[in-house]
Amino acid sequence: MTPASRVCARAIARCRDLLRGVGIDWGTGTGLLAILAARIPAVERVVAVEYDPSAVAVARANAASNGVSDRVEVIRADLFAAFDPADRATLRGLEGRADFLLANPPASDDGDGLEWRRRVLGTARPLLRPRAVVLLQVAAHYGDTRIRGLVDEGYRYEGLVESSPWVPFDLGREDLRRALRVYAAEEGRGGLPYDFHLADGRRISAQEALAGVGDPLTRWQVHRYRA
Ligand SMILES: C[S@@+](CC[C@H](N)C(=O)[O-])C[C@H]1O[C@@H](n2cnc3c(N)ncnc32)[C@H](O)[C@@H]1O
């Protein structure tokens, strides 16, 4: 479990009164978020979407060992394009009916790093009921303008739900080193600066963090949007 996963788990607990009916957990990985949501009494069913076949198997096994396999349906899909015809039918059946969306997407290797989030929000939109709740993990280093700008995909921004304290943006992790290079390239193209902090409270850009100006800190966060 990454620090971002832990913040997502806490966000589900904090929003348990808002989660009901049928939900989607995009990029379920181990199934953690789908399983936590499925334990909420008002939640009937969670459709958990995952690309990696070994993660699909792990998520199914975890749902079974947590006693929620009757409420968590794990399907293999690329974004929302399911591989199995029965799973395609499941997603078609969700159109306009999903009450909530949970997503802790990876940073994208293109654009400003938020492209996976834009693709998930944009593709999920037709599946969601009006006013469906969306809990999306977006870390503080993206900056407020980018976080609020995600509403361009057809949502309303409702605010911060859960946050970690300032913690190291762990450059020992290969995925985070890659993400930092994506951010620095975006700044190099004239994009908005990223908002990393240092232990003494100073703020640094991604290019400064990449140049080794200091050890960047971030806050892992979950924000709430509404369809
Ligand atoms: C950051 S992990 C989150 C895992 C889990 N939801 C959690 O919070 O601990 C992102 C997940 O998205 C999955 N993923 C990446 N690309 C995907 C795609 N094109 N379609 C569906 N899932 C994808 C990854 O395999 C991974 O399990």
Side-chain angles (χ1 to χ4, degrees), residues 5 25-29 32-33 49-52 77-79 104-106 116:
S5 308
D25 174 22
W26 185 88
T28 197
L32 171 74
L33 307 184
V49 177
E50 172 58 49
Y51 177 76
D52 177 354
D78 184 0
L79 190 54
N104 175 16
W116 271 117

Side-chain angles (χ1 to χ4, degrees), residues 33-106:
L33 307 184
I35 291 166
L36 292 174
R39 284 179 173 164
I40 297 171
V43 171
E44 289 160 28
R45 188 164 71 100
V46 182
V47 175
V49 177
E50 172 58 49
Y51 177 76
D52 177 354
S54 54
V56 167
V58 167
R60 284 183 182 143
N62 284 339
S65 61
N66 281 277
V68 291
S69 50
D70 57 334
R71 272 166 286 147
V72 174
E73 185 175 356
V74 185
I75 69 177
R76 181 163 183 250
D78 184 0
L79 190 54
F80 281 99
F83 291 89
D84 186 277
D87 292 341
R88 284 201 284 277
T90 298
L91 287 175
R92 269 199 308 276
L94 271 187
E95 277 171 24
R97 297 190 51 231
D99 298 286
F100 64 91
L101 168 69
L102 313 171
N104 175 16

Side-chain angles (χ1 to χ4, degrees), residues 29-208:
T30 60
L32 171 74
L33 307 184
I35 291 166
L36 292 174
R39 284 179 173 164
I40 297 171
V43 171
E44 289 160 28
R45 188 164 71 100
V46 182
V47 175
V49 177
E50 172 58 49
Y51 177 76
D52 177 354
S54 54
V56 167
V58 167
R60 284 183 182 143
N62 284 339
S65 61
N66 281 277
V68 291
S69 50
D70 57 334
R71 272 166 286 147
V72 174
E73 185 175 356
V74 185
I75 69 177
R76 181 163 183 250
D78 184 0
L79 190 54
F80 281 99
F83 291 89
D84 186 277
D87 292 341
R88 284 201 284 277
T90 298
L91 287 175
R92 269 199 308 276
L94 271 187
E95 277 171 24
R97 297 190 51 231
D99 298 286
F100 64 91
L101 168 69
L102 313 171
N104 175 16
S108 63
D109 287 337
D110 54 341
D112 62 359
L114 288 177
E115 292 304 332
W116 271 117
R117 287 167 178 81
R118 293 191 184 93
R119 287 178 202 124
V120 171
L121 290 175
T123 317
R125 189 67 184 77
L127 302 178
L128 300 177
R129 278 186 202 283
R131 294 193 45 76
V133 174
V134 176
L135 299 181
L136 182 69
Q137 191 281 115
V138 198
H141 59 259
Y142 283 101
D144 206 43
T145 305
R146 281 198 188 87
I147 292 169
R148 288 170 183 271
L150 288 170
V151 297
D152 290 351
E153 308 310 314
Y155 297 82
R156 196 150 51 82
Y157 180 69
E158 293 199 323
L160 176 66
V161 169
E162 190 64 49
S163 180
S164 74
W166 291 103
V167 293
F169 185 75
D170 181 4
L171 292 175
R173 273 174 56 182
E174 205 277 324
D175 59 332
L176 298 189
R177 281 201 306 278
R178 199 170 61 235
L180 186 59
R181 289 195 293 273
V182 169
Y183 305 153
E186 172 69 7
E187 287 176 350
R189 288 189 292 270
L192 288 171
Y194 291 75
D195 194 14
F196 290 100
H197 283 216
L198 297 178
D200 62 9
R202 274 184 298 148
R203 299 162 93 144
I204 59 167
S205 67
Q207 287 181 325
E208 288 169 322

